[in-house]
Amino acid sequence: MASTRIVIVGAGAAGISAASRLIENGFSNFVILEAEDRVGGRICTRRLGDGVVDLGAQYCIKDSVVHRLVKDLDLLEERNVSTHVYHSQNGRLEESFVKKLQDKVAELYHRGEVKNVEWKQYLEDHFDDEFTNLFHDERERLLAKDNFDFVKKLMLRGTGSICLNGVYGAASGEFTRDFSLQWKTHGYQVFLNFLMKKHRRALQFDSKVILKSEVTKIEWGGECGAKVICTNGLQYLCDCVIVTVSLGALKEQHNTLFSPALPTRKQKAIEILGFGSILKVSFCFSKKWWSDNDFAFAWGEKDLKDALREGEHPWMTNCMGFCLVPNNSNVLTTWFVGSYLATLETISDGVLLDGAHWLLQRFLGGTFRNITKPVKLERWCTNPHFGGMISYETLDSIRCGVTGEVLAETLVSKVGTPQLLFAGEATNKVGYGSVNGAVLSGFREADKIINFYKLPWIPNPKFQY
């Protein structure tokens, strides 16, 4: 059995950020145990076409913690791309009409007033008040009524909840219209590379991060430290464990992962906070046939019913549209949101390529006459090590007063050591459900350990072992 001062479980944004902060403060006695065969967690950059695609986190918000850390390194650029919205019956919608709908969704999302109702119910009950009444012309009012599907998808992508069961005004992922910056050439992975390279000499990264090391048991609460056990036989005795696995993974594993069991309060937080999914797929084409803008698709009520009842590819109705990929001219990326995500993950690449071609012809065939079938794709599928993509607060969590901050509460040993700490986007109030929240949470938990060992009566752990 190996000994180390600190074990970090997970090499995603939270885990790498925690390691970075520890190194900055002279702590080198730690290891990072990662279940996957790569670093990054829900940051997943892969090669496709002539460049890369981000299958997980993609864009950066201006003035966020990620932006502040890299803004002087020439890694980001403004994303100035317009979105053309196509309706299933009416063709391309006027930009002024679309902007009113988008602005109202953004206003609702950022309004900040928590209501005792799920988004799904609120939109169904108040759609006319919030959206139809934005317009005075009768034609536009009727068209607004027929864009419920488009509005719902805008909200689904922001909240990550499969059926809009997140709570009105409560914490969830960062809203997509806030994304104004994109990575120039190497995707979001370049941010993690920055954190790792910044301290590469001290970190000795190859020896600190141990891949394919899924943690199956964390024994904590004893006077002699915690014990971390992996499926590959590795075992570590340590003073502190920073757990950065996703809320989705905790939902599946917390009953068997921790011994003794976590306190009831923390178990309840894990069980009643929401964790949703967005399926992201990038399609590569043999040649570019589209214009330099994003495309969004809005199903009219009747067309949507027909596509679900009789359509060849009903699951494609969950597609929001297609977006340009920076510096990758032959690739388009799409997001799938809604009730068909589980079905979409079981569909073969060939069937999904056919479905994408059908959908593009269905909505854009009148605008582009040379639409070709994509030849290759990369997609993000649910992984048991993640269990989804985005955390959100539910009606149950709001009613019980349970927030992500409960997940962040540190469990101390019998002798007062911060023994079991929790990081990850679901634990941070700022940047909840995002990479920014994950990074801040990693810094936060590392700071707890650093500050503990600054106490005058605590032995300095920096260079022991």
Side-chain angles (χ1 to χ4, degrees), residues 62-351:
K62 189 174 290 186
D63 298 324
S64 64
V65 63
V66 173
H67 180 225
R68 292 195 299 271
L69 286 167
V70 302
K71 64 181 180 179
D72 298 325
L73 302 179
D74 196 31
L75 298 175
L76 292 162
E77 61 187 6
E78 293 278 349
R79 189 175 198 275
N80 296 311
V81 179
S82 61
T83 300
H84 294 178
V85 180
Y86 289 80
H87 188 270
S88 59
Q89 276 293 322
N90 296 281
R92 184 181 168 188
L93 301 178
E94 294 181 7
E95 290 185 16
S96 59
F97 176 86
V98 172
K99 188 175 186 303
K100 283 187 177 181
L101 296 180
Q102 291 174 325
D103 288 347
K104 173 55 71 170
V105 171
E107 177 195 327
L108 290 176
Y109 192 82
H110 291 301
R111 189 171 283 175
E113 176 190 359
V114 178
K115 295 181 180 290
N116 192 31
V117 62
E118 293 180 347
W119 278 114
K120 180 178 185 293
Q121 190 64 51
Y122 185 83
L123 288 179
E124 289 176 352
D125 292 345
H126 300 278
F127 188 83
D128 282 347
D129 293 339
E130 298 285 9
F131 292 94
T132 305
N133 290 343
L134 291 171
F135 305 96
H136 302 291
D137 178 79
E138 187 60 25
R139 183 188 68 84
E140 288 189 324
R141 287 176 61 85
L142 291 172
L143 186 57
K145 278 179 171 289
D146 209 28
N147 270 274
F148 180 82
D149 172 71
F150 176 60
V151 169
K152 182 178 74 171
K153 284 175 179 169
L154 288 176
M155 192 59 70
L156 279 167
R157 186 177 165 192
T159 63
S161 54
I162 292 176
C163 298
L164 278 180
N165 50 355
V167 178
Y168 178 107
S172 59
E174 291 172 335
F175 191 62
T176 52
R177 288 195 73 194
D178 297 335
F179 297 131
S180 58
L181 298 169
Q182 63 187 12
W183 303 97
K184 284 186 173 181
T185 55
H186 300 295
Y188 221 125
Q189 184 67 37
V190 74
F191 171 68
L192 292 183
N193 292 344
F194 157 73
L195 287 180
M196 293 184 287
K197 287 178 180 177
K198 183 178 178 183
H199 307 292
R200 182 171 292 278
R201 190 169 184 178
L203 185 57
Q204 297 176 330
F205 190 73
D206 291 340
S207 63
K208 291 292 186 185
V209 179
I210 306 175
L211 301 176
K212 299 181 181 179
S213 298
E214 181 178 357
V215 174
T216 55
K217 185 69 70 177
I218 300 174
E219 298 175 358
W220 65 281
E223 296 181 7
C224 298
K227 183 179 178 181
V228 181
I229 304 171
C230 301
T231 53
N232 58 9
L234 292 177
Q235 297 186 24
Y236 288 90
L237 186 64
C238 60
D239 292 339
C240 310
V241 183
I242 303 178
V243 179
T244 74
V245 300
S246 73
L247 175 59
L250 287 175
K251 284 178 176 291
E252 292 294 323
Q253 302 167 16
H254 77 90
N255 285 323
T256 59
L257 181 59
F258 301 99
S259 180
L262 296 175
T264 302
R265 173 177 165 84
K266 195 176 286 283
Q267 289 190 55
K268 188 170 186 178
I270 292 170
E271 290 164 0
I272 67 176
L273 287 169
F275 197 66
S277 291
I278 296 172
L279 177 64
K280 196 172 181 183
V281 185
S282 292
F283 294 94
C284 182
F285 296 79
S286 58
K287 62 180 181 179
K288 178 182 175 182
W289 49 261
W290 53 87
S291 53
D292 290 329
N293 53 266
D294 296 340
F295 305 96
F297 301 148
W299 288 93
E301 183 178 3
K302 181 180 182 303
D303 292 333
L304 181 59
K305 288 179 179 178
D306 290 344
L308 292 174
R309 184 177 60 250
E310 304 170 358
E312 184 180 357
H313 307 285
W315 28 269
M316 290 302 296
T317 59
N318 279 182
C319 176
M320 292 195 64
F322 292 80
C323 298
L324 305 179
V325 177
N327 302 298
N328 205 344
S329 60
N330 287 7
V331 173
L332 293 172
T333 287
T334 187
W335 285 261
F336 289 90
V337 294
S339 58
Y340 275 100
L341 294 190
T343 302
L344 282 157
E345 291 194 351
T346 66
I347 290 171
S348 69
D349 285 1
V351 173

